[in-house]
Amino acid sequence: MPSETRSSAQPPDPSEHRLHPLSIGFLLWGQIRRAILPLIFGAASARFVGGIGMRTVFLVGLVPFAVASAVRYFTFRYRYEATELVIRSGLFFRRERHVPYARIQNLDAVQGVLHRLLDVVEVKIQTGGGDEPEATMTVLPLPALDVLRQRVLDGRERAVGGKPEPSPTEAAVGPEAAVDPAPASSEGARTLLHLPPRELILHGLIQNRGMLLIAAAFGLGWETGLFDRLTGPLVDDESAVPRLIEGFAADVTGAGVVAAVSAAVALVIGLLLFARLLSMAWALVRLHDYRVVRSEEGLRTTFGMLTRVAATIPLRRVQTVTIHEGPLHRWVRRVAVGVQTAGGKQAGEQDPNRQRLAPILRRDRLWSFLREVMPELGTEEPRWEPVSPGAFRRVAKEAAFVATLVAIPSYFFFDVWGVAIHAAFLAWAALYARKYVDQLGWALRDDMVWFRSGWLWRRTTIARFAKIQVVALRATPFDRLRGMARLKVDTAGAGAASHKLEIPYLPVGTARELRTLVAAEAARTEFRW
């Protein structure tokens, strides 16, 4: 493995390189994590049916994973050519990929606690051709990452015939001196956002990821048989459960129904509070020392306590910007800002392309922050255009139909009270329809398309004309019946989890004019990645 960076003037390195020998261990651990539940289920089934020990099943089940990890390490090779990276892999079915340096959009590198201890890093190469990485290198020594990064930069420089473009989106974890793409102290860098622990706690309170952690712990306890061991005495003793039920009934009778209901409500509230506390602790660890720094390369984010992540998003690759605002956000006067970029999924995030650029942001700082992402943005929100006047009737009828389906069982369980419950559902449907339609809006300003939607959970998405790829007009049979249509605007960064820029319930004439105008503006501007 070369230990120094070659300049663009040097000849290509035709020699092939291997991954770090520790790749076998990391690959094995990755496969075990993905197959842990099937292994546990298989071991439990074998013990129940054939009396085979769980330890034996685990050891036998690990053999194919260990063999596959070793085969991948010994068959994986890569080499640097003048204009491309060549990667070979496979034993029986061999695969050779030629990845031009100029096509590499993202270099994602993840380094957890164990990675840092062993001075290695996992690298994912993305070309924007799909959601999956073009190649995953598990794992490389830290100096090899520097060589790979420099090769990509030099290749891009040769492709454009001059000064290299902004570096690919890079995510790095670990010592910043080794893998940090843009130190915060670099000249011209400005810190746009720094989230202190108070803001992180507030973010955890709003997101409430604690229920997911509780559900994951419950599932793990169920699969590992922990619940069986805890409830074993109750199952073995046939009279234990009836005694518990009789005791509970006696307590309710003695203390009163109000006391029993109060105890149940207190238990539920305690569980919800515990989930919020877990969510706040998770946010403190996951997003520790969260920063967004503006530099010549773009927007650089760094965060994480145990797994340190640093990512650079070039401004020219930002496709859309979305403002997220839920009920708790409005209560504490906060918002969240996300971006969509061209390319695949990046390291360290479930959502594609670093959706949450600012996980939490003060409402009064929103527009100054947005102008750093989109410098051509104005100083305030645009004048919103409403949808068709008939949109309320459409949404109200759909909501009333759903409310009726939900309310039907109440007639069987509550008799005459079902009418009141049904009326309450219909009132809620009407309120929802009115609020939802009032929040729908679109605008054209600053060479951008704006779209907002949502009542309790509001979303506002902004897309530049230069990033628009497709403008489509759609109309369902119900739309055509009422003289309506919807306009759909697609960008290169639109993902399944993103707030889609699809404006519904437009008068058909307005929709056609808007389609013509947006398509003309998008064609007039030069599309840029």
Side-chain angles (χ1 to χ4, degrees), residues 1 17-20 23 76 78 80 111 115 118-123 137-145 148:
M1 176 67 62
H17 310 281
R18 285 186 176 180
L19 302 174
H20 194 284
S23 296
F76 193 97
Y78 68 95
Y80 301 110
Q111 191 180 38
H115 291 88
L118 299 174
D119 290 331
V120 293
V121 63
E122 179 177 301
V123 181
M137 297 182 173
T138 307
V139 288
L140 289 177
L142 290 179
L145 174 61
L148 176 60

Side-chain angles (χ1 to χ4, degrees), residues 337-360:
V337 178
V339 296
Q340 285 284 336
T341 60
K345 294 181 180 180
Q346 300 192 22
E349 290 288 325
Q350 296 298 322
D351 291 338
N353 308 310
R354 291 285 189 269
Q355 267 206 309
R356 294 299 170 93
L357 180 64
I360 187 169

Side-chain angles (χ1 to χ4, degrees), residues 37 45 69 86 120 130 147 166 179 186 266 320 324 338 349 400:
L37 292 182
S45 301
S69 300
V86 181
V120 293
V147 175
V179 294
S186 61
T320 62
H324 306 258
E349 290 288 325

